[in-house]
């Protein structure tokens, strides 16, 4: 199933046969392009970037690489091909045929899930919009833009669902996607992590490591949906998400490697004078991004999540591979709670613990990446390890919302927190230091001094390839 790029809106959903939908999307397209120009990557309008574009939705060989003028990137609507006789695989409707239209009784819940997902996509582009000015290399600049155009396409994916299946209120929601903005005090993005600043590259790598990984877990849960168009859309989005996490993981890895090299070379942990990012600072950034991302999973005990599951709208990670009844009426799961100032695990219904289960799987996956960072340190003979902070640390949603905790999970009073906060989270001075390193490097093959070069170039190209051309 190839994609026809002669269409004004490239798609594999037979848009030409649905005049009403086509008109609605063609009305939205100029607003989107205007948003991209005003809120997307700064000063990028004349750049030519070595981007990959989807040319087919088949498993292998869907991507085409070539230099593209950024505003000419072809955003379109791509769903993985339908699976014959697909069934709803969990919840009260388990075993019934998957829905091809919106189940009327669950319309508002489904819309809410799609709007929440959709809102994050343009938010991330807005958060990252100024990073191009301080890229550590052309290789990295290209990766940033690749991530950005794909987030833009993910917004198209959700807007397609809203416009195709939700009529007038869907169209209104689609418009509002471009009206809320990351960090806007009056009209912020829906989830807090998408209002935070991402204006240095260490934050960008942390974002793509931690926050895009939340994307992976949330999209995978939505890919299980009984609403088939949502499932098919998310399946295709997941193929792109993998690259975003690669950008994050390899980015942090290269920063850690450079820091380790400087520590060895100068025989000190204080590498700031030599233009490196010290491990304490990397740890603080990690503490911040991980804790903010844990909030993205919602509360440990959530009736919303239980309802989404029982309704068949949002499943668990790799639902069909789990060996249980997929209804969970009588099943239990352990979830943390605070009792007398101590964090303990208590049994709760597996249905209300759906968010918690996903957060746990996310944590295990994040830890695997952190272990790889620690392998780099080990390789340089450095004993110090990077760690994920405890789940109670710096939380704004759920059981730990109203307490303060250390990164190792000891509950502390507000005064101690205020006094010690800057030991655990980036201070203004830490941000200022990291920002002071962010000087643009735009000569092919050259790399900023605070980050090691990547192992290889993109799509077989050499490291000194002109991944971005300026005009
Ligand atoms: N911030 O029952 P609860 C991505 C609200 S990232 C603010 O625990 P629920 C990407 C909640 O709305 C993936 N509010 O929540 C990554 C509820 O409000 P009401 C994005 C929050 O609904 C990088 C109340 O608290 N996708 O794709 O079970 C770059 C009670 O909450 C937050 C999704 O998130 C919060 N963090 O779970 C680009 C998937 N958490 O009802 C893209 C869709 C909770 O009291 N969303 N609240 O007014 C969902 O599945 C769910 O909405 C959530 C929340 C998991 C987010």
């Amino acid at each position: 199933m190839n994609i026809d790029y002669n269409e004004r809106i490239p798609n594999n959903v037979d848009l030409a046969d649905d005049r009403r939908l086509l008109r609605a999307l063609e009305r939205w397209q100029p607003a989107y392009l205007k948003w991209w120009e005003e809120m997307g990557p700064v000063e990028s309008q004349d750049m030519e970037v070595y981007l990959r574009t989807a040319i087919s939705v088949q498993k292998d060989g869907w991507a085409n690489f070539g230099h593209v003028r950024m505003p000419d990137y072809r955003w379109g609507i791509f769903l993985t091909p339908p699976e014959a006789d697909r069934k709803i695989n969990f919840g009260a409707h388990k075993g019934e045929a998957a829905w091809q239209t919106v189940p009327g009784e669950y319309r508002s819940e489904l819309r809410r899930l799609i709007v929440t997902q959709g809102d994050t996509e343009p938010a991330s582009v807005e958060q990252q919009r100024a990073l191009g000015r301080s890229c550590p290399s052309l290789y990295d600049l290209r990766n940033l833009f690749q991530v950005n155009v794909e987030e833009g396409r993910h917004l198209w994916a959700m807007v397609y669902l809203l416009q195709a299946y939700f009529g007038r209120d869907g169209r209104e929601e689609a418009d509002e996607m471009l009206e809320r903005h990351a960090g806007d005090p009056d009209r912020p993005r829906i989830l807090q992590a998408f209002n935070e600043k991402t204006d240095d590259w260490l934050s960008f790598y942390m974002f793509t490591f931690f926050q895009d990984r939340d994307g992976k877990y949330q999209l995978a849960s939505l890919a299980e949906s009984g609403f088939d168009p949502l499932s098919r859309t998310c399946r295709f989005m997941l193929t792109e998400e993998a690259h975003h996490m690669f950008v994050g993981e390899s980015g942090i890895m290269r920063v850690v490697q450079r820091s380790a090299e400087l520590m060895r070379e100068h025989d000190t942990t204080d590498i700031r004078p030599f233009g490196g990012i010290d491990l304490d600072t990397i740890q603080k950034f990690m503490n911040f991004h991980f804790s903010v991302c844990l909030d993205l999973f919602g509360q440990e005990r959530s009736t919303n999540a239980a309802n989404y599951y029982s309704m068949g709208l949002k499943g668990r990670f790799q639902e069909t591979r789990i060996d249980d009844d997929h209804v969970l009426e009588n099943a239990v799961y352990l979830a943390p709670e605070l009792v007398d100032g101590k964090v303990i695990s208590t049994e709760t219904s597996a249905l209300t613990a759906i968010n918690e289960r996903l957060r746990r799987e996310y944590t295990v996956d994040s830890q695997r990446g952190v272990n790889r960072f620690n392998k780099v340190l080990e390789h340089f003979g450095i004993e110090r390890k990077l760690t994920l902070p405890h789940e109670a640390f710096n939380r704004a949603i759920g059981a730990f919302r109203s307490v303060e905790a250390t990164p190792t999970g000891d509950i502390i009073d507000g005064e101690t927190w205020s006094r010690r906060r800057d030991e655990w989270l980036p201070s203004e001075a830490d941000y200022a230091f990291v920002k002071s390193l962010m000087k643009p490097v735009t000569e092919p093959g050259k790399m900023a001094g605070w980050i090691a070069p990547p192992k290889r170039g993109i799509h077989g190209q050499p490291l000194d390839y002109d991944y971005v051309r300026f005009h």
Side-chain angles (χ1 to χ4, degrees), residues 176-383:
E176 285 177 31
M177 294 283 183
L178 304 174
E179 289 162 11
R180 288 183 292 268
H181 298 303
D184 186 328
D186 302 320
R187 304 204 66 185
R189 291 296 176 182
I190 296 169
L191 302 172
Q192 182 47 29
F194 290 88
N195 288 306
E196 304 286 351
K197 283 202 177 93
T198 313
D199 48 12
D200 63 76
W201 282 76
L202 182 58
S203 296
F204 173 63
Y205 298 131
M206 293 286 172
F207 186 105
T208 38
F209 181 82
F210 287 114
Q211 212 143 314
D212 280 272
R213 193 174 309 275
D214 171 51
K216 166 184 159 184
Y217 279 83
Q218 298 293 350
L219 288 175
S221 304
L222 293 173
E224 302 290 342
S225 182
F227 179 52
D228 204 41
L230 174 62
S231 165
R232 290 172 53 207
T233 306
C234 290
R235 277 168 214 267
F236 187 66
M237 290 161 77
L238 276 166
T239 64
E240 292 164 328
E241 207 63 41
H243 172 256
H244 304 186
M245 285 183 300
F246 161 80
V247 169
E249 179 162 333
S250 58
I252 299 177
M253 192 96 90
R254 289 160 55 209
V255 176
V256 170
Q257 180 187 331
R258 184 67 190 132
S259 302
E261 285 166 4
L262 289 168
M263 285 167 73
R264 277 281 150 260
E265 191 180 327
H266 300 282
D267 197 20
T268 176
T269 53
D270 180 18
I271 53 171
R272 284 191 181 196
F274 309 104
I277 306 179
D278 50 294
L279 296 182
D280 284 342
T281 303
I282 296 175
Q283 180 66 60
K284 288 191 213 177
F285 274 63
M286 194 173 272
N287 290 348
F288 173 73
H289 285 269
F290 181 69
S291 56
V292 162
C293 286
L294 290 186
D295 282 342
L296 285 173
F297 290 84
Q299 303 188 59
E300 294 80 5
R301 292 166 181 77
S302 162
T303 44
N304 283 350
N307 291 338
Y308 296 149
Y309 186 84
S310 293
M311 291 168 179
L313 302 180
K314 184 181 175 193
R316 291 170 295 175
F317 184 67
Q318 299 186 329
E319 180 68 43
T320 51
R321 296 198 203 165
I322 301 171
D323 183 19
D324 61 19
D325 69 359
H326 305 278
V327 182
L328 308 180
E329 281 290 309
N330 304 310
V332 291
Y333 194 82
L334 288 174
E337 69 179 312
L338 260 184
V339 178
D340 300 332
K342 289 251 168 332
V343 182
I344 58 164
S345 272
T346 49
E347 265 190 6
T348 182
S349 125
L351 272 177
T352 53
I354 294 272
N355 286 343
E356 179 58 17
R357 179 183 173 121
L358 195 63
R359 179 169 23 241
R360 263 187 200 216
E361 289 169 313
Y362 166 84
T363 301
V364 170
D365 197 31
S366 301
Q367 183 64 52
R368 277 196 285 263
V370 174
N371 293 348
R372 287 191 282 272
F373 306 146
N374 286 330
K375 279 255 154 39
V376 176
L377 294 174
E378 227 172 81
H379 173 79
F380 282 88
I382 294 166
E383 273 175 31

Side-chain angles (χ1 to χ4, degrees), residues 35-247:
W35 167 81
W36 179 266
E37 199 185 312
E38 289 171 0
M39 301 301 289
V42 294
E43 296 145 25
S44 67
Q45 300 290 327
D46 294 324
M47 294 181 194
E48 277 185 49
V49 187
Y50 188 66
L51 293 177
R52 82 179 173 174
T53 311
I55 47 171
S56 146
V57 289
Q58 305 303 346
K59 262 213 168 63
D60 304 313
W62 63 270
N64 178 53
F65 284 80
H67 279 92
V68 180
R69 251 190 87 243
M70 283 277 274
D72 297 340
Y73 183 83
R74 303 303 306 279
W75 286 280
I77 298 159
F78 315 125
L79 275 62
T80 50
E83 197 182 293
D85 302 322
R86 183 167 176 264
K87 299 272 187 289
I88 300 168
N89 294 315
F90 59 91
H93 299 278
K94 190 182 139 203
E96 295 173 21
W99 297 296
Q100 300 304 328
T101 54
V102 172
E105 70 270 43
Y106 306 143
R107 192 173 187 281
S108 69
E109 289 83 357
L110 190 55
R111 193 185 67 197
R112 182 176 182 177
L113 282 172
I114 294 171
V115 167
T116 308
Q117 177 62 48
D119 188 68
T120 63
E121 314 289 0
S124 68
V125 175
E126 293 170 349
Q127 286 172 293
Q128 296 162 12
R129 71 183 302 257
L131 287 169
R133 286 188 180 132
S134 60
C135 61
S137 72
L138 284 190
Y139 165 94
D140 289 282
L141 185 60
R142 176 270 169 202
N143 280 347
L144 167 72
F145 290 155
Q146 182 70 55
V147 168
N148 291 161
V149 293
E150 286 174 356
E151 301 300 7
R153 206 198 61 70
H154 292 181
L155 170 62
W156 272 90
M158 293 300 123
V159 162
Y160 160 72
L161 293 176
L162 289 169
Q163 302 234 11
Y165 295 96
F166 290 88
R168 186 181 167 159
D169 45 333
R171 288 195 290 282
E172 285 167 8
E173 293 284 8
D175 291 343
E176 285 177 31
M177 294 283 183
L178 304 174
E179 289 162 11
R180 288 183 292 268
H181 298 303
D184 186 328
D186 302 320
R187 304 204 66 185
R189 291 296 176 182
I190 296 169
L191 302 172
Q192 182 47 29
F194 290 88
N195 288 306
E196 304 286 351
K197 283 202 177 93
T198 313
D199 48 12
D200 63 76
W201 282 76
L202 182 58
S203 296
F204 173 63
Y205 298 131
M206 293 286 172
F207 186 105
T208 38
F209 181 82
F210 287 114
Q211 212 143 314
D212 280 272
R213 193 174 309 275
D214 171 51
K216 166 184 159 184
Y217 279 83
Q218 298 293 350
L219 288 175
S221 304
L222 293 173
E224 302 290 342
S225 182
F227 179 52
D228 204 41
L230 174 62
S231 165
R232 290 172 53 207
T233 306
C234 290
R235 277 168 214 267
F236 187 66
M237 290 161 77
L238 276 166
T239 64
E240 292 164 328
E241 207 63 41
H243 172 256
H244 304 186
M245 285 183 300
F246 161 80
V247 169

